Amino acid sequence: MSQHVAIGLNAVIVAANEGQPKVLVVKHTTETLLVQQGAVSQRTLPSNSLPGERDSNNDLKSREALPFGPFYPERHRTLEEGLRSWVAEQTQQELGYVEQLYTFGDQGRVPGEELGGPRVISVGYLGLVNETTIPQSLQGHAVWHDWYDYFPWEDWRSGEPAILQWLKGRITEWASAAEIGKSEQTSRLERASIVFGLDDTPWNGRMVLERYELLYEAGLVAESPACTDASQAIQTGRAMTLDHRRILATAMGRLRGKIKYRPVVFELMPESFTLLQLQRCVEGLSGEELHKQNFRRLVESKGLVETTGRTLSQTGGRPAAEFRFRREVLRERQALGF
């Protein structure tokens, strides 16, 4: 018998507040979450089948989700139009730059599928905005969070994150488990070396998804069915419902790669800014500290910005010149980034 398939739309909406990357999430009860995903009724779905942080009674304390909703062919002319309508309804956020991210369709990604609910295929999108205000009517429902709250091991701006050595130890223990056999041990250790930089392998900032998936497989994040230690899961970042943290990881890796060859970072900047503000934004997205003079030479040599003729007073220093993005460069050249 064929299974019913439903199409979902998910949005990773990113802003940078003073150079700190933020992601917009919405909070759901079990009831609103089930209605929103178009799964089965709450009567047939145990509430504890939804992943996330749990209290002492094994009930979910928080169901943070990316803005999302079903695609209605009779209502939505395009997928992107449907996405924008759900984002506006749930967050009152008007999206500017939007690009399609990936299609997520793994079996069992939505609770209730095994109980006769639809197989939900979700189309993920990445949206960039330069405002982090939340309307008063949505206070407590829509929230901006630091995206490193979800992936604390990804922020290298002040050197290697403190959690990383602990994570490497747990990953090595999992990869070296005696019961899995030599071949599987070798395979796991190779993957761990590549994505977590073991054995002096260089750290690749774009492999956000690969690192999260390895932690999921090892049972080190709250969303994983293999996670048996709640205190351990708290150390590995904020949980999200369903597979939304995996979608966020996909978006982070995409954006980190994209800023190297396209000037998308300016979608996150106000109309005018200082070069230091621009550098802090790039550092926040990449998770790496940049050399100030090298960064400025790069920006100037590519003609990405132009002066506004104004200066901005800075506490404890000289006034800094203000700049704006030269949108003409989008027509002048094809490959521009940092």
Side-chain angles (χ1 to χ4, degrees), residues 151 153-154 156 164 171 192 194-197 202-217 221 249 256:
F151 306 99
W153 55 87
E154 295 291 343
W156 286 68
L164 199 54
I171 283 290
I194 293 170
V195 303
F196 274 98
W203 179 270
N204 185 336
R206 287 176 290 175
M207 301 185 77
V208 185
L209 175 62
E210 290 83 351
R211 282 187 282 274
Y212 174 75
E213 289 185 329
L214 194 63
L215 294 175
Y216 182 96
E217 189 176 337
V221 291
R256 282 182 167 185

Side-chain angles (χ1 to χ4, degrees), residues 276-303:
L276 181 59
Q277 289 172 333
L278 179 61
Q279 179 179 338
R280 292 289 181 258
C281 185
V282 176
E283 289 176 332
L285 296 175
S286 66
E288 301 174 7
E289 186 178 19
L290 302 175
H291 187 279
K292 181 177 179 180
Q293 296 306 320
N294 287 350
F295 177 81
R296 295 190 174 209
R297 279 195 292 268
L298 176 64
V299 172
E300 292 169 0
S301 67
K302 291 194 172 188

Side-chain angles (χ1 to χ4, degrees), residues 298-319:
L298 176 64
V299 172
E300 292 169 0
S301 67
K302 291 194 172 188
L304 294 172
V305 299
E306 60 187 3
T307 181
T308 65
R310 301 188 299 270
T311 59
L312 181 67
S313 297
Q314 294 182 324
T315 303
R318 294 180 302 173

